[in-house]
Amino acid sequence: MSLSDRSSKRQNKIAEWETRIQLLHTKYPRLEEISQLFAQMAIELAMVELGKGKTGMGREELIKAQEALQAEKQDIMKKHKLPENIYDIWWDCEICRDTGFVEAGRKCDCRRSEEVKWRWQMSGLSPEQKLQTFESFSLEYYPEKEKYRVVVHKCMSFAEKVGKGQPAENILICGPVGTGKTHICSAIANGVLQAGKAVVYLKSGVLLDLIRQAKYYKDKNEQNENNQFMESLYRVPLLIVDDLGTENLTDFAQEQLLLLIDERINYRLPWVISTNLSLNEMDTHYELRLIDRIMGTSKVLRFSGESIRQLKKMHK
Ligand SMILES: [Zn+2]
């Protein structure tokens, strides 16, 4: 999937306009005559300015005649209830005429919002997660409010830095199921997307499936979309891997995860990883090299306590 092809869309709009005018002129031949006369008069007017007029009409006279034609055209259009903009190309965006740029190198708002939408679609966030922002993150059910206020603040400042393309220390979020880790991951993703940077959010199970499939295609020596997507994970401005758990990892998967992490370290591209494993559990489930690399390059934020999800349900 890619952004819409603006040049072919523009060509279609122009083709539609040409057909529309042709049909209009077939139906109302006087409108075509008026168009032609108007154009001839415009040429004559230019010639008169150069002192080379051919009809003997003066400047004033030509302008009056043009105005009369214009008025006649308006009458015909009104009489047949034709839309006022029937002679225009119907651009989706009048400001940039669908080019996406208001001037060389300066993007139009329509293009920006298209890009935001596109990045959001590519991010892998579910519609529900789009609503999980820092603003909607409530501390109501957290026993240690001050501690979590600091955690939220750290995540906000991380998202802000990544959004601005500034270096930011990776984040490892640890905590039991239902303590708000996914909400915080989504909030970071939304903040960065809003700032105009691309994000890929993946549940760790999905990432591991992708890695498995990539191996399958690699073994068959086949290029496919899946492998291209895997490669995009190396370069996306922010990668979020949610819910790293007790999956059984093959050596190959560990190797690939390590490669991904290393590549992103080399390019100074940040990540957020969340896990419901304790640091001890991580040690037993993952290769030491992998854990070392993640721990050595991340700030650890701990979510603890009872499941906020359960508490919320109880209070409903
Ligand atoms: Zn525009």
Side-chain angles (χ1 to χ4, degrees):
M1 198 171 82
S2 62
L3 280 168
S4 65
D5 176 357
R6 294 225 171 208
S7 100
S8 77
K9 250 172 89 181
R10 275 175 57 89
Q11 276 166 15
N12 290 342
K13 292 268 177 193
I14 293 169
E16 182 277 325
W17 168 73
E18 283 170 347
T19 317
R20 173 163 28 99
I21 303 296
Q22 261 175 21
L23 288 172
L24 179 76
H25 286 172
T26 312
K27 199 165 174 194
Y28 306 103
R30 180 58 187 159
L31 283 178
E32 183 169 21
E33 280 170 24
I34 292 174
S35 281
Q36 284 167 355
L37 284 169
F38 198 91
Q40 282 165 14
M41 282 179 189
I43 295 169
E44 179 65 7
L45 200 53
M47 296 307 272
V48 167
E49 302 287 351
L50 295 169
K52 292 179 182 170
K54 287 177 185 155
T55 57
M57 285 168 86
R59 188 173 175 276
E60 300 286 303
E61 211 178 339
L62 281 165
I63 290 173
K64 273 219 175 99
Q66 274 190 326
E67 281 169 0
L69 285 173
Q70 197 65 29
E72 189 188 346
K73 180 174 141 189
Q74 294 295 336
D75 284 346
I76 296 172
M77 283 171 57
K78 232 179 242 166
K79 189 173 146 200
H80 298 288
K81 298 195 168 59
L82 300 171
E84 268 178 45
N85 64 354
I86 197 151
Y87 276 98
D88 300 340
I89 301 177
W90 291 340
W91 303 116
D92 289 332
C93 175
E94 287 298 332
I95 297 166
C96 67
R97 299 155 74 93
D98 295 1
T99 58
F101 290 90
V102 278
E103 56 189 69
R106 201 158 76 85
K107 285 178 192 168
C108 181
D109 284 346
C110 73
R111 169 92 189 187
R112 279 179 211 285
S113 61
E114 188 189 1
E115 285 181 357
V116 168
K117 219 168 117 189
W118 180 68
R119 277 193 215 102
W120 189 77
Q121 278 172 351
M122 297 301 287
S123 71
L125 290 179
S126 68
E128 188 194 351
Q129 285 179 281
K130 200 189 176 185
L131 307 173
Q132 296 178 336
T133 60
F134 290 118
E135 290 75 29
S136 67
F137 190 86
S138 162
L139 292 172
E140 189 181 349
Y141 296 105
Y142 287 88
E144 306 158 275
K145 291 194 178 29
E146 201 39 51
K147 178 185 152 189
Y148 285 102
R149 200 164 285 135
V150 173
V151 167
V152 172
H153 186 79
K154 280 182 179 158
C155 293
M156 278 171 94
S157 104
F158 171 84
E160 216 177 282
K161 281 183 190 159
V162 178
K164 286 181 184 160
Q166 295 168 355
E169 197 183 355
N170 306 310
I171 293 180
L172 176 65
I173 303 172
C174 299
V177 174
T179 47
K181 297 191 304 297
T182 292
H183 190 136
I184 269 296
C185 285
S186 313
I188 293 172
N190 283 315
V192 173
L193 286 167
Q194 209 75 52
K197 291 274 190 307
V199 176
V200 170
Y201 169 94
L202 290 167
K203 290 274 180 201
S204 76
V206 176
L207 174 61
L208 295 173
D209 277 347
L210 281 168
I211 289 176
R212 254 171 244 135
Q213 286 168 32
K215 177 171 166 46
Y216 171 78
Y217 287 110
K218 200 172 159 240
D219 288 349
K220 290 200 345 183
N221 226 344
E222 255 178 46
Q223 262 300 328
N224 85 331
E225 267 182 23
N226 176 6
N227 294 33
Q228 283 167 14
F229 181 71
M230 271 306 292
E231 277 160 30
S232 77
L233 299 184
Y234 291 106
R235 297 284 181 271
V236 67
L238 176 61
L239 175 65
I240 302 181
V241 180
D242 195 10
D243 254 349
L244 199 64
T246 55
E247 297 92 354
N248 286 320
L249 292 190
T250 60
D251 286 349
F252 178 78
Q254 302 243 19
E255 203 55 50
Q256 291 300 304
L257 271 180
L258 196 61
L259 196 67
L260 176 59
I261 297 280
D262 274 345
E263 192 75 357
R264 294 188 64 87
I265 292 171
N266 287 339
Y267 282 86
R268 296 176 189 282
L269 292 168
W271 68 74
V272 175
I273 296 175
S274 94
T275 179
N276 51 36
L277 300 177
S278 70
L279 299 181
N280 283 339
E281 284 171 320
M282 277 181 84
D283 271 356
T284 54
H285 283 287
Y286 294 93
E287 233 179 82
L288 206 57
R289 272 193 307 160
L290 184 62
I291 301 303
D292 276 355
R293 199 77 99 246
I294 295 175
M295 298 293 290
T297 52
S298 306
K299 184 191 315 214
V300 180
L301 301 178
R302 284 193 179 77
F303 280 58
S304 53
E306 287 179 78
S307 165
I308 303 302
R309 207 181 291 157
Q310 290 304 324
L311 284 173
K312 275 187 187 169
K313 270 191 196 144
M314 277 160 55
H315 284 81
K316 262 185 187 164

